[in-house]
Amino acid sequence: MLKQAANDPASRAARIPVMEIFGPTVQGEGMVVGRKTRFVRTAGCDYRCSWCDSAFTWDGTGKDDIRQLTPDDIIRELTALDGSAPDHVTLSGGNPALLPQLGALIAALRAAGAAVALETQGSKWQDWFLEIDELTLSPKPPSSGMTTDWGALERIALRLAQGGRRFSLKVVIFDEIDLAYASEVHRRYPGIPFYLQSGNDRLGEQDRMRLLPYLLERYEWLVDRVVADPGLRDVHVLPQLHTWIWGNKKRRLER
């Protein structure tokens, strides 16, 4: 049956460009930080952030790692990671929101009893957003070199709210300009759970014990700024947990 499906043109069109499947591990960012999960990382992104820690998903350096997989392929590999059916799966990138065919995978995962989490910058809408259990919109601040499409972000946030789906906003902070940007995001969406995360701009540092003190310093700086700002109410201030534990390894969330 699977072989026959693989030869079907519709099946080929629904295949998903996957770069990595790994875990179980813990989520390092956003609204479900610390949650035990498994990851599916897809290829491709519509942004080119200056400090992107997953640039291999879009800059061509990881092209040989891309596999075109069906939802059944992916669920089999997720199960094979530790021999048990996944109960929580994080879809990552790149920007998974570029892939309309992810809807079939999300439906299959949820039918199998797994919760699904996803983070995207809020530049593209997919109808399957309404099927995500834990969706994070992470618009990129000025330090990224990208320009926020406020209209697209507004439309996505509105459709999610109207659909009754749980979602949050997250902004990565590197400097005072980014913090001012985050304050504007929070002002525009005061009722949405809001997460601020200290950024890592030392992606070339391979010694975790040298990197960690710097990350701790950046996190302390961000906490101090947020605590002192009366406009930043009802916010969560997070470290980038996985870099604290595994540093800058490419598959740093793997055991």
Side-chain angles (χ1 to χ4, degrees), residues 11 14-16 69-78 101-106 108-109:
S11 175
R15 289 176 181 267
I16 298 163
L69 302 180
T70 67
D72 284 347
D73 295 333
I74 293 168
I75 291 175
R76 273 196 298 268
E77 292 197 20
L78 287 167
Q101 66 268 41
L102 272 181
L105 173 62
I106 294 161
L109 287 168

Side-chain angles (χ1 to χ4, degrees), residues 197-217:
Q197 179 182 295
S198 52
N200 172 22
D201 57 1
R202 293 191 176 178
L203 300 177
E205 178 57 73
Q206 296 303 307
D207 185 336
R208 183 179 67 87
M209 298 313 296
R210 289 171 59 91
L211 179 64
L212 183 55
Y214 174 73
L215 297 177
L216 286 167
E217 177 184 310

Side-chain angles (χ1 to χ4, degrees), residues 45-58:
C45 192
D46 51 330
Y47 276 21
R48 301 293 184 266
C49 295
S50 61
W51 35 252
C52 179
D53 62 0
S54 303
F56 59 90
T57 63
W58 51 262

